[in-house]
Coordinates of all heavy atoms in Angstrom, one line a residue:
F22 N -1.2 -1.9 -9.1 CA -1.9 -2.6 -8.1 C -1.2 -2.3 -6.7 O -1.9 -2.0 -5.7 CB -2.0 -4.1 -8.4 CG -2.6 -4.9 -7.4 CD1 -4.0 -4.9 -7.2 CD2 -1.9 -5.7 -6.5 CE1 -4.6 -5.7 -6.2 CE2 -2.5 -6.5 -5.6 CZ -3.8 -6.5 -5.4
L23 N 0.1 -2.5 -6.7 CA 0.8 -2.3 -5.4 C 0.8 -0.8 -5.0 O 0.7 -0.5 -3.8 CB 2.2 -2.8 -5.6 CG 2.4 -4.4 -5.8 CD1 3.8 -4.7 -6.0 CD2 1.8 -5.1 -4.6
G24 N 1.0 0.1 -5.9 CA 1.0 1.5 -5.6 C -0.4 2.0 -5.1 O -0.4 2.7 -4.1
F25 N -1.5 1.5 -5.7 CA -2.8 1.8 -5.2 C -3.0 1.3 -3.7 O -3.4 2.1 -2.9 CB -3.9 1.2 -6.0 CG -5.2 1.4 -5.5 CD1 -5.9 2.6 -5.6 CD2 -5.9 0.4 -4.9 CE1 -7.2 2.8 -5.1 CE2 -7.2 0.5 -4.3 CZ -7.8 1.8 -4.5
N26 N -2.5 0.1 -3.4 CA -2.7 -0.5 -2.1 C -1.8 0.3 -1.1 O -2.2 0.5 0.0 CB -2.4 -2.0 -2.1 CG -3.6 -2.7 -2.6 OD1 -4.6 -2.9 -2.0 ND2 -3.5 -3.2 -3.9
A27 N -0.6 0.6 -1.5 CA 0.3 1.4 -0.6 C -0.3 2.7 -0.3 O -0.3 3.2 0.9 CB 1.7 1.5 -1.2
G28 N -0.8 3.4 -1.3 CA -1.5 4.7 -1.1 C -2.7 4.6 -0.2 O -3.0 5.5 0.7
G30 N -3.2 2.3 2.2 CA -2.8 2.1 3.5 C -2.2 3.4 4.2 O -2.5 3.6 5.3
T73 N 3.5 2.7 8.5 CA 3.2 1.4 9.1 C 2.0 0.8 8.5 O 2.0 -0.4 8.1 CB 3.0 1.5 10.6 OG1 4.2 2.0 11.2 CG2 2.7 0.1 11.3
F74 N 0.9 1.5 8.3 CA -0.3 1.0 7.7 C -0.1 0.8 6.2 O -0.6 -0.2 5.7 CB -1.5 2.0 7.9 CG -2.2 1.8 9.2 CD1 -1.7 2.4 10.3 CD2 -3.3 1.1 9.2 CE1 -2.4 2.2 11.5 CE2 -4.0 0.8 10.4 CZ -3.5 1.4 11.6
A75 N 0.7 1.6 5.5 CA 1.0 1.4 4.1 C 1.7 0.1 3.9 O 1.4 -0.7 3.0 CB 1.8 2.5 3.6
S76 N 2.7 -0.2 4.8 CA 3.5 -1.5 4.7 C 2.6 -2.7 5.0 O 2.7 -3.7 4.3 CB 4.7 -1.4 5.5 OG 4.4 -1.4 6.9
A77 N 1.7 -2.5 5.9 CA 0.8 -3.7 6.3 C -0.2 -4.0 5.1 O -0.3 -5.1 4.7 CB 0.0 -3.4 7.5
V78 N -0.7 -2.9 4.5 CA -1.7 -3.1 3.4 C -0.9 -3.6 2.2 O -1.4 -4.5 1.4 CB -2.4 -1.8 3.1 CG1 -3.3 -2.0 1.8 CG2 -3.4 -1.5 4.3
L79 N 0.3 -3.1 2.0 CA 1.1 -3.5 0.8 C 1.5 -5.0 1.0 O 1.5 -5.8 0.0 CB 2.4 -2.7 0.7 CG 3.3 -2.9 -0.5 CD1 2.5 -2.6 -1.8 CD2 4.5 -2.0 -0.4
G80 N 1.9 -5.4 2.2 CA 2.2 -6.8 2.4 C 1.0 -7.7 2.2 O 1.2 -8.8 1.6
S81 N -0.2 -7.3 2.6 CA -1.4 -8.2 2.3 C -1.7 -8.2 0.8 O -2.1 -9.2 0.2 CB -2.6 -7.7 3.1 OG -3.0 -6.4 2.7
A82 N -1.4 -7.0 0.1 CA -1.6 -7.0 -1.3 C -0.7 -7.9 -2.1 O -1.0 -8.5 -3.1 CB -1.5 -5.6 -1.8
V83 N 0.6 -8.0 -1.6 CA 1.5 -8.9 -2.3 C 1.1 -10.3 -2.1 O 1.2 -11.1 -3.0 CB 3.0 -8.7 -1.7 CG1 3.9 -9.8 -2.1 CG2 3.5 -7.4 -2.1
M84 N 0.6 -10.7 -0.9 CA 0.1 -12.0 -0.7 C -1.1 -12.4 -1.6 O -1.3 -13.5 -1.9 CB -0.2 -12.3 0.8 CG 1.1 -12.3 1.6 SD 0.8 -12.7 3.3 CE 0.4 -11.1 4.0
L85 N -1.9 -11.4 -1.8 CA -3.2 -11.6 -2.6 C -3.1 -11.2 -4.1 O -4.1 -11.1 -4.8 CB -4.3 -10.8 -2.0 CG -4.7 -11.2 -0.5 CD1 -5.7 -10.2 0.1 CD2 -5.2 -12.6 -0.5
M86 N -1.8 -10.9 -4.5 CA -1.6 -10.4 -5.9 C -2.2 -11.3 -6.9 O -1.8 -12.5 -6.9 CB -0.2 -10.1 -6.1 CG 0.1 -9.4 -7.4 SD 1.8 -9.0 -7.8 CE 2.3 -8.1 -6.3

Side-chain angles (χ1 to χ4, degrees):
F22 176 75
L23 294 175
F25 173 77
N26 282 287
T73 301
F74 274 83
S76 63
V78 173
L79 186 61
S81 66
V83 167
M84 289 185 273
L85 298 173
M86 188 181 305

